[in-house]
Amino acid sequence: GSAEDLLVCTGVKAGYGNIEVVRQFDLAAPGGSVVAVLGPNGAGKTTLLNTLSGLLPAQSGSVSVGGLTVKNGRPADASDAGIVLVPDDRALFTALTVEENLLAARGRHRTTVDGAFDRFPALAVRRKLAAGHLSGGEQQMLAVARALMQEPRVLLLDEMSMGLAPIIVEELMPMVRRVAKDTGAVVVLVEQHVHLALEVADRAIVLVHGEVVLDRTAAELAADPTLLESAYLGGS
Ligand code: ATP
């Protein structure tokens, strides 16, 4: 990638034991950009995010952030490099308040809850409420706000839309773009709602059976739906 690429993945292969799930993943993305990773169920999207966040060791290949290579299969090293994952189950502490969830995530960072509440006013008014009492959309917002407490340089969002009504997903999606622009992080967005994802992404990669079958600008894909259709069909 070029000097301005913040996240560079080169030949990443990932899977479980000797099962290959992601066969070859290459990406170079500048800070402030949103990369949508699309593809049918079982394509390997979650496996890819878990690998980028160090939870699952890559079988080969490398990941670097800001020119520094992240040690393979070490979540703490990925986290030090600024890679933060929001898993599809959101992993909130449902019995803790909104504010406590944010504080618990801060770690060594000096971020304040005020910053989070400025960014997400809907959470500010619920700061003393247990996270489990928030609506699904608010819980997802909290999961993202919590990730931002760690000042990510690479934010991995796994199916934000999981369990949410499409209308709520539509409301949440602009937040993704805003976060990328405001923080300068690379946001990798795994999403089933292809059309909503393309509205906020700069670039889209389609994975089918662990293979990248399409890699284009979001604008190109939005303008020509047949590209996506044939990618989904051709790869299966
Ligand atoms: P979905 O949208 O359904 O979550 P996905 O694109 O995120 O799909 P993955 O969850 O990464 O796909 O799954 C890819 C493949 O890896 C699937 O065939 C799945 O069965 C397999 N897989 C996932 N987790 C494991 C695991 N812990 N051990 C073995 N195989 C697994």
Side-chain angles (χ1 to χ4, degrees):
S2 74
E4 75 217 50
D5 289 321
L6 183 57
L7 172 66
V8 178
C9 305
T10 310
V12 172
K13 292 192 203 314
Y16 307 91
N18 51 19
I19 304 168
E20 262 186 34
V21 171
V22 175
R23 290 169 205 286
Q24 169 90 19
F25 184 80
D26 297 289
L27 170 66
S33 67
V34 178
V35 179
V37 176
L38 310 172
N41 287 332
K45 304 180 298 297
T46 296
T47 300
L48 174 66
L49 294 196
N50 287 344
T51 303
L52 298 184
S53 60
L55 296 171
L56 187 68
Q59 293 168 334
S60 61
S62 70
V63 176
S64 71
V65 179
L68 294 177
T69 303
V70 181
K71 287 199 189 80
N72 188 19
R74 306 262 192 92
D77 203 60
S79 151
D80 287 347
I83 300 178
V84 178
L85 170 70
V86 178
D88 56 11
D89 66 4
R90 292 159 204 148
L92 296 171
F93 301 113
T94 51
L96 298 187
T97 66
V98 166
E99 189 166 17
E100 287 163 346
N101 269 274
L102 293 173
L103 287 171
R106 199 169 40 157
R108 63 187 163 76
H109 299 277
R110 276 173 289 172
T111 43
T112 64
V113 291
D114 295 336
F117 291 142
D118 287 346
R119 192 187 297 278
F120 302 106
L123 295 179
V125 297
R126 288 164 176 68
R127 64 197 293 161
K128 300 294 182 195
L129 205 64
H133 289 156
L134 299 178
S135 70
E138 288 163 352
Q139 289 191 14
Q140 184 60 63
M141 201 183 280
L142 177 57
V144 172
R146 193 175 64 163
L148 294 180
M149 295 295 284
Q150 297 171 62
E151 303 184 308
R153 302 177 81 194
V154 175
L155 180 65
L156 308 173
L157 299 177
D158 198 0
E159 278 185 55
M160 288 209 315
S161 53
M162 183 87 85
L164 300 180
I167 180 84
I168 305 297
V169 183
E170 204 166 336
E171 284 172 18
L172 278 173
M173 219 37 102
M175 162 184 84
V176 174
R177 187 160 194 88
R178 198 154 44 85
V179 162
K181 297 298 160 216
D182 292 355
T183 68
V186 174
V187 178
V188 180
L189 175 71
V190 163
E191 193 44 71
Q192 294 287 352
H193 291 75
V194 169
H195 298 287
L196 294 180
L198 290 179
E199 280 178 22
V200 299
D202 296 289
R203 176 169 170 195
I205 293 176
V206 180
L207 269 188
V208 178
H209 292 312
E211 212 83 64
V212 173
V213 297
L214 194 64
D215 181 352
R216 298 288 179 94
T217 67
E220 276 176 284
L221 291 188
D224 186 356
T226 60
L227 280 174
L228 268 177
E229 282 163 30
S230 51
Y232 271 63
L233 295 175
S236 62

